[in-house]
Amino acid sequence: GREPITIRTDKIPLRGPSGTFDRLVAVATDITDVVKAQAARARAEERLSLAVNGAQDAIWDWNIETGEAYFAPRWCELLRLDNGCQLTSMSDWRARIASTSLAAFETALHEHLEGRSETLEVELEMVAADGESRWMHCRARALRDETGLAIRLAGCVTDISE
């Protein structure tokens, strides 16, 4: 048994000498590999989503070069922020770190960005929107360029409050 293939057809009508459409050019392209790759990506995204939701962690991703950061909606839940909250930078995160944990965070972050640690791992006291302290276990790893410079940092936080 042969595996089925997926074909995309593109058709272009052509005008004849009289100006009317009297011919058609058709091109068939085998896109089986593209369809399989899209399906594999969808399965991988679903697997990741299920794992992250199951772990109840909040993921984040910081583009160090642009300063842009992504914080999953779970961050807002953990910090009891309003629905639709927008956290878009590391300063948004730093603003929620309790003053007693800020130095530890900055030290761990600096050590990791400088390449002196394999991963960023630190426990932080964070302040939720209601003023309550929440303890978070933060884990992350930098993506580095060919020179070893950290260009991106991504990871997750877990609420370890009792």
Side-chain angles (χ1 to χ4, degrees), residues 5 9 13 47 54 91:
I5 62 171
T9 58
R47 188 178 303 117
S91 61

Side-chain angles (χ1 to χ4, degrees), residues 14 24 27 34 47 49 73 79 85 92 101 108 111 121 140 147:
L14 298 176
L24 184 68
V27 176
V34 172
R47 188 178 303 117
S49 177
L79 296 175
C85 78
D92 291 337
S101 289
E111 293 282 315
E121 191 158 353
T147 69

Side-chain angles (χ1 to χ4, degrees), residues 72-83:
R74 179 81 175 121
W75 266 89
C76 298
E77 293 173 32
L78 292 177
L79 296 175
R80 299 185 178 122
L81 299 169
D82 293 337
N83 285 341

Side-chain angles (χ1 to χ4, degrees), residues 36-151:
K36 286 180 180 179
Q38 289 171 337
R41 180 179 176 163
R43 285 190 305 275
E45 287 175 355
E46 180 183 43
R47 188 178 303 117
L48 176 61
S49 177
L50 288 169
V52 169
N53 289 332
Q56 301 214 348
D57 288 346
I59 61 171
W60 56 278
D61 181 8
W62 175 34
N63 183 325
I64 297 168
E65 295 176 315
T66 66
E68 183 182 359
Y70 166 79
F71 296 90
R74 179 81 175 121
W75 266 89
C76 298
E77 293 173 32
L78 292 177
L79 296 175
R80 299 185 178 122
L81 299 169
D82 293 337
N83 285 341
C85 78
Q86 293 289 333
L87 302 174
T88 59
S89 70
M90 288 302 283
S91 61
D92 291 337
W93 183 359
R94 285 181 175 99
R96 291 278 164 200
I97 299 174
S99 59
T100 54
S101 289
L102 192 55
F105 173 73
E106 294 294 347
T107 298
L109 178 63
H110 181 75
E111 293 282 315
H112 186 60
L113 293 180
E114 291 296 315
R116 292 192 293 268
S117 66
E118 193 73 22
T119 59
L120 167 66
E121 191 158 353
V122 63
E123 289 185 3
L124 302 170
E125 180 184 6
M126 299 191 74
V127 181
D130 60 8
E132 185 179 334
S133 288
R134 308 298 304 163
W135 283 92
M136 305 290 176
H137 184 193
C138 170
R139 297 171 309 282
R141 182 169 287 181
L143 175 66
R144 299 181 184 279
D145 67 12
E146 60 280 350
T147 69
L149 181 68
I151 57 173

